């Protein structure tokens, strides 16, 4: 599996000298755009075809933007962002302005967000350092029901999927198993148990027509789960546990993991190279090295059209399979 870079813009073009923490994609006025959340508390858009900025940065967060997810609200493309400032915000990407009130979580950073449609309306699920996962109505910016998760430790990651026509969420905690939750009822459907140690990231996609979760653990494994049964389908050894994204490329489900850093002689922070790797989830094997470069962030995603967006301290790149 080979990949080519469609465009490669320096991070200075994206966000000054700031690190990109999160990335998502959507369609705005007929063109694919990238939405990024940065360390300088801004939300920025780029044209996926050219890499050029779309409009001015969106401002309002008071600390680093940690998570970005996109959806449609009343036919308009919107982004939901989460921040270390303890809030989530909803943005009209066409009007380039915040919608309604911010979603206030108060107690600590909000680490991640995922969107899905519930009863015909777009909703968001947020994951916070305060040990909660919460469900939000994006039209009203109000929380729906009680907390989905109320844990004794941080909730680091969240992903959404649709199971038998019903939207679900998968959450990852610093301590405790991954939980699968029915968003219509707020009730747990089961747990994904098997990792030995921390699971910092989770992604979802479809394999053989069924929704699956892909997780990376500190036990040096990547695991694939059937979300209908909450059973593990298989596990693969990898030392790439902390950044997971998943999606379809040419109709085939893949996962992307961040490989270990290769350190040059000198201090531990002196990284000479790092590799992102694609995994063929059908063949249960690596599908080749994607790209090698300097220090990759955890900001990566597979777009609906099968492109891979990755961020590093050298730039933000869009790669296409060929």
């Amino acid at each position: 599996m080979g990949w080519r870079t469609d465009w490669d813009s320096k991070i200075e073009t994206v966000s000054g000298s700031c690190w990109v923490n999160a990335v998502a994609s959507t369609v705005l006025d007929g063109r694919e755009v990238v939405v990024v959340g940065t360390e300088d508390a801004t939300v920025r858009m780029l044209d996926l075809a050219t890499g050029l900025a779309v409009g001015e940065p969106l401002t309002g967060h008071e600390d680093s933007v940690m998570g970005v997810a996109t959806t449609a609200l009343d036919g308009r493309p919107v982004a939901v962002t989460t921040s270390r400032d303890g809030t989530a915000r909803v943005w009209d990407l066409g009007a380039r302005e915040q919608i309604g009130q911010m979603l206030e979580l108060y107690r600590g950073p909000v680490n991640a967000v995922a969107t899905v449609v519930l009863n015909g309306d777009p909703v968001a699920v947020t994951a916070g350092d305060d040990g909660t996962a919460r469900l939000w109505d994006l039209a009203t910016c109000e929380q729906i029901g009680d907390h989905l998760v109320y844990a004794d430790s941080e909730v680091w990651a969240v992903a959404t999927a649709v199971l038998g026509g019903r939207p679900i969420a998968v959450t990852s905690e610093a301590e405790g198993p991954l939980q699968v939750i029915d968003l219509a009822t707020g009730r747990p459907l089961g747990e994904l148990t098997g990792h030995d140690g921390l699971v910092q990231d989770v992604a979802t996609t479809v394999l053989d027509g069924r929704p699956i979760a892909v997780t990376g653990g500190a036990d040096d494994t990547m695991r694939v789960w059937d979300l209908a049964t909450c059973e593990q389908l298989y596990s693969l050894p990898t030392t790439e546990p902390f950044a997971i994204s998943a999606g379809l490329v040419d109709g085939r489900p893949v996962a992307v993991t961040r490989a270990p850093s290769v350190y040059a002689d000198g201090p531990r922070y002196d990284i000479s190279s790092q590799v992102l790797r694609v995994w063929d989830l059908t063949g249960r094997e690596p599908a080749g090295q994607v790209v090698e470069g300097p220090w990759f962030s955890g900001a990566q995603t597979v777009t609906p059209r099968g492109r891979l967006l990755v961020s590093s301290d050298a730039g933000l790149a869009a790669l296409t399979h060929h």
Side-chain angles (χ1 to χ4, degrees):
M1 178 179 287
W3 296 77
R4 65 170 179 268
T5 303
D6 288 337
W7 55 266
D8 186 8
S9 61
K10 297 299 182 183
I11 271 191
E12 286 76 13
T13 303
V14 179
S15 59
S17 60
C18 288
W19 191 250
V20 172
N21 292 321
V23 60
S25 67
T26 188
V27 176
L28 176 65
D29 298 329
R31 55 182 170 172
E32 282 187 290
V33 297
V34 184
V35 185
V36 298
T38 70
E39 275 292 312
D40 70 353
T42 64
V43 179
R44 300 174 186 244
M45 287 187 289
L46 300 166
D47 187 314
L48 189 52
T50 65
L52 299 178
V54 178
E56 295 298 316
L58 304 176
T59 60
H61 281 298
E62 297 179 355
D63 206 336
S64 304
V65 178
M66 302 301 297
V68 177
T70 57
T71 186
L73 177 63
D74 297 329
R76 298 170 293 165
V78 300
V80 188
T81 57
T82 60
S83 171
R84 291 190 194 275
D85 66 9
T87 71
R89 297 172 188 255
V90 186
W91 308 89
D92 184 322
L93 296 179
R96 298 180 180 84
E97 62 184 13
Q98 185 175 320
I99 299 173
Q101 300 298 313
M102 61 185 176
L103 316 182
E104 297 186 74
L105 279 74
Y106 302 113
R107 294 172 49 205
V110 190
N111 299 317
V113 60
T115 56
V116 72
V117 174
L118 173 64
N119 298 326
D121 298 316
V123 297
V125 184
T126 55
D129 256 19
D130 63 356
T132 68
R134 310 188 192 200
L135 179 65
W136 302 89
D137 183 326
L138 296 184
T140 64
C141 295
E142 295 180 351
Q143 185 172 331
I144 301 173
D146 295 328
H147 302 339
L148 299 172
V149 172
Y150 208 151
D152 293 329
S153 60
E154 301 94 334
V155 182
W156 279 338
V158 62
T160 53
V162 177
L163 176 64
R166 297 174 67 86
I168 63 173
V170 185
T171 61
S172 172
E173 303 167 21
E175 299 175 9
L178 293 105
Q179 298 191 49
V180 182
I181 303 164
D182 185 331
L183 295 181
T185 64
R187 297 174 181 171
L189 295 175
E191 297 179 343
L192 309 182
T193 58
H195 278 292
D196 181 14
L198 302 177
V199 180
Q200 192 163 333
D201 213 351
V202 57
T204 56
T205 187
V206 177
L207 174 65
D208 297 330
R210 55 184 170 179
I212 61 170
V214 185
T215 58
D219 56 0
D220 291 341
T221 65
M222 181 183 75
R223 299 177 188 244
V224 178
W225 311 83
D226 186 328
L227 290 176
T229 63
C230 294
E231 295 180 351
Q232 182 178 297
L233 296 176
Y234 60 88
S235 172
L236 295 172
T238 174
T239 53
E240 306 155 12
F242 294 120
I244 294 280
S245 56
L248 300 176
V249 175
D250 296 337
R252 295 178 65 85
V254 302
V256 183
T257 58
R258 183 180 63 186
S261 304
V262 176
Y263 294 91
D265 293 337
R268 289 285 294 170
Y269 55 80
D270 185 11
I271 296 178
S272 62
S273 66
Q274 198 173 31
V275 175
L276 294 179
R277 191 174 303 281
V278 165
W279 300 81
D280 182 335
L281 297 179
T282 302
R284 306 186 179 190
E285 61 184 3
Q289 177 176 307
V290 181
V291 61
E292 182 173 353
W295 207 333
F296 290 108
S297 77
Q300 61 185 54
T301 190
V302 179
T303 75
R305 297 184 182 179
R307 291 179 177 177
L308 172 62
L309 304 179
V310 295
S311 175
S312 76
D313 63 356
L316 184 67
L319 298 105
T320 300
H321 170 239
H322 66 92

